[in-house]
């Protein structure tokens, strides 16, 4: 199907808008696939900062094929507001950290581990993601210490939230949460010397690390309650779209589909986490780096959709405005407004606390003198706990 790019001012009711976006990392393509019903639809796109769209020549889309708000596959209409679900997700997150720490320690010392309890926890994580994906996706911003149990919980929350956004059903999202919690369980069979090494690994040490997906899959395969898609996702989470990954060097078409999602969540959290040998990146820089690897490490369209889901400035990011004031990203109204999130201004230019003020940058985008983000800050450098500022 050949698409035609037109400026928003030429958009008319009855036209079929297929996608928008420039394809750059700060503005990836996003599939809309909707009929413009009236001027209000055009006004909504304008408020979201969209300047041009790609339209289909057929101008027709069956009403039956259009998603209703309750069927929205991209998480634009969560069942509950982010501020409400954030507190629920945080309780689940705290419980998950304790469970994952016990799970990893049990595996490390050779004690039977609680697989059934892990699956129950995965169900709670996936249900929270179903109520509000962005609330779940903000959890890794609370604590990214690089420890295996912390990283596993972060990946579970990120992967299930992204899966929900992609429109996956209840069971696949539960599988993603379970695979996130368990994907690095094979690392607990490695020596502490390798796990805690502060510098680069030797070739031999890295060869041992590359065995952890296989060893983890073998360990989990003993538990009959863990289903095959979870095992395949654990096995394939370090495979790359171009075949350069491990342990089997699979290419995109042969990788377990859930592992393609899991790999994105795994890599993103690794980049923003404290690690013995690398300083953490801000979420903004991590997404930019990953966007440059699309089609190589990650399935290209899936990575673009992850950027749209998270936003150029993900929820929980600490940002500086052109006025010098500092704010935390509190929400993202739409996947079409990645550069214009909802902010909660919490500090003045000297990082002194101020009475919180909410700014929805999507409502002021394009206006003269509208506030804009100039930098993404690392809250750890300022000893700021963003979790208490989000909701």
């Amino acid at each position: 199907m050949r698409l035609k790019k037109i400026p928003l001012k030429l958009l008319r009711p009855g036209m079929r808008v297929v996608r928008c976006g420039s394809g750059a990392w700060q503005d990836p393509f996003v599939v809309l696939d909707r009929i413009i019903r009236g001027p209000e639809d055009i006004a909504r796109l304008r408020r979201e900062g969209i300047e041009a769209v790609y339209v289909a020549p057929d101008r027709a889309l069956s009403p039956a094929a259009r998603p209703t708000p309750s069927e929205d596959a991209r998480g634009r209409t969560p069942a509950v507001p982010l501020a409400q679900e954030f507190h629920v997700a945080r309780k689940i997150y705290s419980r998950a950290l304790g469970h994952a720490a016990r799970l990893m320690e049990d595996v490390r010392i050779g004690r039977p581990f609680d697989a059934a309890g892990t699956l129950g926890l995965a169900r709670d994580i996936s249900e929270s993601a179903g109520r509000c994906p962005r609330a779940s996706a903000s959890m890794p911003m609370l604590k990214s210490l690089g420890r295996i149990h912390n990283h596993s919980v972060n990946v579970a929350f990120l992967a299930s939230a992204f899966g929900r956004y992609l429109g996956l059903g209840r069971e696949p999202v539960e599988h993603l949460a379970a695979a996130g919690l368990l994907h690095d369980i094979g690392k607990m069979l490695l020596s502490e010397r390798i796990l805690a090494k502060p510098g680069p690994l030797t070739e031999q040490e890295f060869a041992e690390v590359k065995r952890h997906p296989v060893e983890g899959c073998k360990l989990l395969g003993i538990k009959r309650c863990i289903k095959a898609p979870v095992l395949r996702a654990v096995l394939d989470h370090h495979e790359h779209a171009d075949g350069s990954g491990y342990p089997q060097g699979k290419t995109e078409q042969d990788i377990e589909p859930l592992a393609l999602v899991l790999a994105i969540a795994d890599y993103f959290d690794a980049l923003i986490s404290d690690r013995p040998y690398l300083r953490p990146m801000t979420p903004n820089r991590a997404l930019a780096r990953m966007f440059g690897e699309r089609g190589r490490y990650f399935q290209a369209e899936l990575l673009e959709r992850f950027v749209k889901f998270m936003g150029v400035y993900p929820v929980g990011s600490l940002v500086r405005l052109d006025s010098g004031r500092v704010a935390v990203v509190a929400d993202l109204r739409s996947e079409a407004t990645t550069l214009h999130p909802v902010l909660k201004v919490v500090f003045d230019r000297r990082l002194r606390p101020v009475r919180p003020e909410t700014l929805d940058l999507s409502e002021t985008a394009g206006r003269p003198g509208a506030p804009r983000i100039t930098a993404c800050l690392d809250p750890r450098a300022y000893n700021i706990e963003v979790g208490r500022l989000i909701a």
Side-chain angles (χ1 to χ4, degrees), residues 119 171 174-175 223-233:
L119 297 182
E171 188 173 48
E174 283 188 20
H175 289 164
K223 303 287 186 176
R224 293 187 178 182
C225 60
I226 299 177
K227 296 186 178 179
V230 177
L231 296 177
R232 292 195 298 268

Side-chain angles (χ1 to χ4, degrees), residues 9-300:
K9 64 182 181 181
L10 297 183
L11 190 61
R12 298 290 182 269
M15 289 184 172
R16 177 186 175 190
V17 176
V18 177
R19 72 184 188 191
C20 65
S22 67
W25 94 262
Q26 291 185 322
D27 187 29
F29 290 126
V30 56
V31 177
L32 297 177
D33 209 9
R34 68 177 73 153
I35 290 288
I36 299 301
R37 300 298 182 186
E40 66 279 0
D41 288 345
I42 300 175
R44 185 178 301 111
L45 293 174
R46 185 175 292 110
R47 287 195 301 271
E48 292 176 349
I50 296 173
E51 298 178 354
V53 295
Y54 292 81
V55 297
D58 61 356
R59 297 168 58 94
L61 181 65
S62 166
R66 297 175 66 243
T68 63
S70 62
E71 296 168 337
D72 189 350
R74 298 185 179 90
R76 288 189 295 266
T77 53
V80 300
L82 185 148
Q84 178 180 331
E85 183 60 29
F86 180 85
H87 297 292
V88 177
R90 189 165 188 173
K91 290 179 180 178
I92 299 172
Y93 182 78
S94 179
R95 180 158 51 89
L97 288 175
H99 176 89
R102 292 189 297 272
L103 175 75
M104 298 303 175
E105 178 63 11
D106 286 344
V107 173
R108 188 185 71 81
I109 64 177
R111 190 164 55 198
F113 60 94
D114 185 7
T118 302
L119 297 182
L121 184 60
R123 188 176 306 112
D124 292 341
I125 293 172
S126 66
E127 287 176 355
S128 179
R131 291 189 294 269
C132 183
R134 293 197 199 284
S136 292
S138 70
M139 291 300 108
M141 310 304 168
L142 305 183
K143 186 178 293 186
S144 293
L145 300 178
R147 297 170 186 165
I148 292 176
H149 75 279
N150 185 185
H151 171 67
S152 298
V153 172
N154 287 354
V155 173
F157 273 84
L158 273 172
S160 58
F162 185 37
R164 177 65 184 86
Y165 166 83
L166 293 171
L168 300 183
R170 179 187 58 79
E171 188 173 48
V173 173
E174 283 188 20
H175 289 164
L176 278 171
L181 291 170
L182 298 168
H183 75 287
D184 271 349
I185 198 168
K187 284 186 176 180
M188 301 313 298
L189 304 177
L190 296 170
S191 70
E192 185 64 25
R193 175 183 57 81
I194 292 178
L195 291 178
K197 187 174 181 179
L201 299 178
T202 65
E203 186 174 333
Q204 182 178 354
E205 289 169 339
F206 187 52
E208 291 184 48
V209 171
K210 288 167 69 173
R211 292 285 303 166
H212 81 268
V214 174
E215 297 304 323
C217 196
K218 287 180 181 178
L219 183 66
L220 296 171
I222 300 172
K223 303 287 186 176
R224 293 187 178 182
C225 60
I226 299 177
K227 296 186 178 179
V230 177
L231 296 177
R232 292 195 298 268
V234 170
L235 180 64
D236 288 356
H237 75 275
H238 277 297
E239 300 288 1
H240 294 160
D242 66 352
S244 63
Y246 61 86
Q248 296 175 305
K250 295 180 180 179
T251 53
E252 180 181 319
Q253 62 269 23
D254 297 319
I255 299 172
E256 161 63 40
L258 295 182
L260 294 172
V261 175
L262 192 68
I264 290 175
D266 178 37
Y267 199 72
F268 176 75
D269 186 67
L271 290 179
I272 67 171
S273 297
D274 288 311
R275 289 178 287 173
Y277 51 92
L278 285 176
R279 295 189 63 181
M281 292 184 180
T282 62
N284 172 269
R285 285 190 59 211
L287 287 173
R289 173 168 170 172
M290 292 175 68
F291 194 77
E293 300 291 355
R294 67 194 190 286
R296 182 186 171 199
Y297 290 168
F298 314 107
Q299 201 273 342

